[in-house]
Structures are given as C-alpha cells and as structure tokens.
Amino acid sequence: MRRPQTNRLEQSLDLGPAELFPIAREAILTWKLQESAGVIARPVRRVHVGQIVDLWLNPVWPLPAVRLRGRDLAVPVGSCEVIEVIDVIGSKPTRMSDNDPPPLGPSATDSVRAAGFVYRTLPGHLESGEQTFLVSVGTNGRLGVSITSESVPGHPLLKAVAPISVATQRMMAKRYAEGLKRMLRDSTLTRP
C-alpha cells in the first residue's frame, strides 16, 4: 500500500501596520482566528502547551453556528494538541515548547514581535499532521499572518479524494488569514 503524499501548505497575508500586533496576538492566542474562519474550538481557553482542543466546522459560516438544545450544530473535524506556543515581544519569549532551551540575552532580534502556536492533530482528525498559526511584525514594520501545515489525509475517504482534501485545506488557510484581516479592520473601525 502506498503512503499518501504529504501536503505542505503555506498561506501568508499582509495585515497592515505593526500597531495592530496586540489585537492580532490576542486573536491568535485565544482561538478567535479559528472562529473568524468558521471553526469552533472547544474548550476555548488561552493556548498553552499540552492543551487538547476539539474542532468543528460551522456549516453556515459566515453566519453564527445554529444552536439546538444548547449545542452548536457543526461538522466534527477532530481533536488536536498544542505542542508549541510562540509569544515573543522583543527578545523575551514568554512561552515556547517544553523542550526548548532558555532564550539567550539581548540580540539583533530585540525588535521581533511574533505570536502564535503549533498544533498536532490527534487520531480521528480528518487530517494527520501539524499546523502553525503565526502573526509577526516584519523588518518593514508591517504585520503579517502565516498559516503553514504539513499533513496527510487522516480519514480513509479523504485518502481516496486527496486533491479535494488539499483544496479544502488551502481554502481554510485562506479563510483564516482573511478572517484575521477582517477582524483587524473591524477593530480599527470601532476604535474612538
């Protein structure tokens, strides 16, 4: 039996000026990025290494999920475990993966600002692999988002229709990036 080909995906988008970083950071580290793309994450808590989260897809997105008897009517996607949290303001990472050495003193990266996390899917997820969600301020002073993943289909039906699975992953990565951009735009419209 042939192993399925690994799907490598990267979606990046310019989000605007660097001063939007605090809002984007909060959206990434509290699962609001996923919500902006129609993905329901439960339980919703600030991301931390070892956190296990169940994911569902809202089939009526961009409308809010329909609720029946106190539950969201959504399509189950599977579970994942957060394996790394990136939260760097200047040269001071506030949390990294459990295996990383402590950061060194001040360096050329003192102006780096980045926030995000990596999760690994758990058995039963539609895809098998890892996905990274990251916002960062570039050397040009612009804020960007990057969604990257490396995976293979995790469900037998998806293995049979691998091109559809890849297209769906690309669509979702684009929805994540554009959803965050929309959130940031809306936040600037509501500021005094």
PDB file of all heavy atoms in Angstrom, residues 76-88:
ATOM      1  N   PRO A  76     -18.015  17.709  12.891  1.00  0.00           N
ATOM      2  CA  PRO A  76     -16.788  17.411  13.642  1.00  0.00           C
ATOM      3  C   PRO A  76     -15.587  17.277  12.705  1.00  0.00           C
ATOM      4  O   PRO A  76     -15.671  16.648  11.654  1.00  0.00           O
ATOM      5  CB  PRO A  76     -17.088  16.091  14.339  1.00  0.00           C
ATOM      6  CG  PRO A  76     -18.246  15.504  13.613  1.00  0.00           C
ATOM      7  CD  PRO A  76     -18.976  16.610  12.935  1.00  0.00           C
ATOM      8  N   VAL A  77     -14.485  17.898  13.097  1.00  0.00           N
ATOM      9  CA  VAL A  77     -13.243  17.831  12.321  1.00  0.00           C
ATOM     10  C   VAL A  77     -12.245  16.919  13.021  1.00  0.00           C
ATOM     11  O   VAL A  77     -11.538  16.171  12.380  1.00  0.00           O
ATOM     12  CB  VAL A  77     -12.643  19.249  12.131  1.00  0.00           C
ATOM     13  CG1 VAL A  77     -11.280  19.192  11.474  1.00  0.00           C
ATOM     14  CG2 VAL A  77     -13.605  20.115  11.338  1.00  0.00           C
ATOM     15  N   GLY A  78     -12.203  16.994  14.346  1.00  0.00           N
ATOM     16  CA  GLY A  78     -11.283  16.165  15.115  1.00  0.00           C
ATOM     17  C   GLY A  78     -10.633  16.964  16.226  1.00  0.00           C
ATOM     18  O   GLY A  78     -10.956  18.125  16.457  1.00  0.00           O
ATOM     19  N   SER A  79      -9.703  16.331  16.904  1.00  0.00           N
ATOM     20  CA  SER A  79      -9.017  16.958  18.032  1.00  0.00           C
ATOM     21  C   SER A  79      -7.563  17.221  17.683  1.00  0.00           C
ATOM     22  O   SER A  79      -6.992  16.579  16.807  1.00  0.00           O
ATOM     23  CB  SER A  79      -9.084  16.048  19.264  1.00  0.00           C
ATOM     24  OG  SER A  79     -10.426  15.823  19.619  1.00  0.00           O
ATOM     25  N   CYS A  80      -6.992  18.166  18.419  1.00  0.00           N
ATOM     26  CA  CYS A  80      -5.583  18.484  18.232  1.00  0.00           C
ATOM     27  C   CYS A  80      -4.972  18.827  19.584  1.00  0.00           C
ATOM     28  O   CYS A  80      -5.674  19.122  20.540  1.00  0.00           O
ATOM     29  CB  CYS A  80      -5.419  19.656  17.260  1.00  0.00           C
ATOM     30  SG  CYS A  80      -6.200  21.175  17.816  1.00  0.00           S
ATOM     31  N   GLU A  81      -3.635  18.768  19.629  1.00  0.00           N
ATOM     32  CA  GLU A  81      -2.905  19.121  20.838  1.00  0.00           C
ATOM     33  C   GLU A  81      -1.911  20.222  20.514  1.00  0.00           C
ATOM     34  O   GLU A  81      -1.142  20.120  19.550  1.00  0.00           O
ATOM     35  CB  GLU A  81      -2.146  17.915  21.383  1.00  0.00           C
ATOM     36  CG  GLU A  81      -1.355  18.227  22.628  1.00  0.00           C
ATOM     37  CD  GLU A  81      -0.596  17.028  23.185  1.00  0.00           C
ATOM     38  OE1 GLU A  81      -0.602  15.950  22.557  1.00  0.00           O
ATOM     39  OE2 GLU A  81       0.003  17.189  24.264  1.00  0.00           O
ATOM     40  N   VAL A  82      -1.921  21.283  21.310  1.00  0.00           N
ATOM     41  CA  VAL A  82      -0.978  22.374  21.132  1.00  0.00           C
ATOM     42  C   VAL A  82       0.391  21.872  21.587  1.00  0.00           C
ATOM     43  O   VAL A  82       0.545  21.412  22.717  1.00  0.00           O
ATOM     44  CB  VAL A  82      -1.400  23.621  21.937  1.00  0.00           C
ATOM     45  CG1 VAL A  82      -0.331  24.719  21.838  1.00  0.00           C
ATOM     46  CG2 VAL A  82      -2.760  24.133  21.465  1.00  0.00           C
ATOM     47  N   ILE A  83       1.381  21.933  20.675  1.00  0.00           N
ATOM     48  CA  ILE A  83       2.716  21.419  21.002  1.00  0.00           C
ATOM     49  C   ILE A  83       3.753  22.523  21.158  1.00  0.00           C
ATOM     50  O   ILE A  83       4.840  22.278  21.657  1.00  0.00           O
ATOM     51  CB  ILE A  83       3.202  20.375  19.972  1.00  0.00           C
ATOM     52  CG1 ILE A  83       3.266  20.974  18.574  1.00  0.00           C
ATOM     53  CG2 ILE A  83       2.318  19.140  20.018  1.00  0.00           C
ATOM     54  CD1 ILE A  83       3.941  20.076  17.546  1.00  0.00           C
ATOM     55  N   GLU A  84       3.418  23.738  20.728  1.00  0.00           N
ATOM     56  CA  GLU A  84       4.341  24.858  20.897  1.00  0.00           C
ATOM     57  C   GLU A  84       3.545  26.152  20.899  1.00  0.00           C
ATOM     58  O   GLU A  84       2.591  26.296  20.146  1.00  0.00           O
ATOM     59  CB  GLU A  84       5.358  24.895  19.760  1.00  0.00           C
ATOM     60  CG  GLU A  84       6.354  26.021  19.864  1.00  0.00           C
ATOM     61  CD  GLU A  84       7.355  26.037  18.720  1.00  0.00           C
ATOM     62  OE1 GLU A  84       7.269  25.222  17.797  1.00  0.00           O
ATOM     63  OE2 GLU A  84       8.235  26.912  18.772  1.00  0.00           O
ATOM     64  N   VAL A  85       3.931  27.063  21.764  1.00  0.00           N
ATOM     65  CA  VAL A  85       3.345  28.404  21.790  1.00  0.00           C
ATOM     66  C   VAL A  85       4.485  29.387  21.550  1.00  0.00           C
ATOM     67  O   VAL A  85       5.532  29.294  22.185  1.00  0.00           O
ATOM     68  CB  VAL A  85       2.640  28.701  23.134  1.00  0.00           C
ATOM     69  CG1 VAL A  85       2.129  30.138  23.167  1.00  0.00           C
ATOM     70  CG2 VAL A  85       1.499  27.728  23.356  1.00  0.00           C
ATOM     71  N   ILE A  86       4.271  30.298  20.618  1.00  0.00           N
ATOM     72  CA  ILE A  86       5.251  31.328  20.291  1.00  0.00           C
ATOM     73  C   ILE A  86       4.669  32.645  20.772  1.00  0.00           C
ATOM     74  O   ILE A  86       3.566  33.010  20.379  1.00  0.00           O
ATOM     75  CB  ILE A  86       5.498  31.394  18.773  1.00  0.00           C
ATOM     76  CG1 ILE A  86       5.969  30.037  18.249  1.00  0.00           C
ATOM     77  CG2 ILE A  86       6.508  32.493  18.421  1.00  0.00           C
ATOM     78  CD1 ILE A  86       5.110  29.463  17.191  1.00  0.00           C
ATOM     79  N   ASP A  87       5.386  33.330  21.644  1.00  0.00           N
ATOM     80  CA  ASP A  87       4.916  34.617  22.124  1.00  0.00           C
ATOM     81  C   ASP A  87       6.152  35.451  22.426  1.00  0.00           C
ATOM     82  O   ASP A  87       6.695  35.404  23.519  1.00  0.00           O
ATOM     83  CB  ASP A  87       4.037  34.442  23.367  1.00  0.00           C
ATOM     84  CG  ASP A  87       3.205  35.677  23.664  1.00  0.00           C
ATOM     85  OD1 ASP A  87       3.221  36.636  22.860  1.00  0.00           O
ATOM     86  OD2 ASP A  87       2.526  35.687  24.709  1.00  0.00           O
ATOM     87  N   VAL A  88       6.618  36.185  21.422  1.00  0.00           N
ATOM     88  CA  VAL A  88       7.872  36.919  21.520  1.00  0.00           C
ATOM     89  C   VAL A  88       7.601  38.400  21.334  1.00  0.00           C
ATOM     90  O   VAL A  88       7.068  38.816  20.317  1.00  0.00           O
ATOM     91  CB  VAL A  88       8.878  36.448  20.440  1.00  0.00           C
ATOM     92  CG1 VAL A  88      10.181  37.205  20.587  1.00  0.00           C
ATOM     93  CG2 VAL A  88       9.113  34.957  20.521  1.00  0.00           C
TER      94      VAL A  88
END
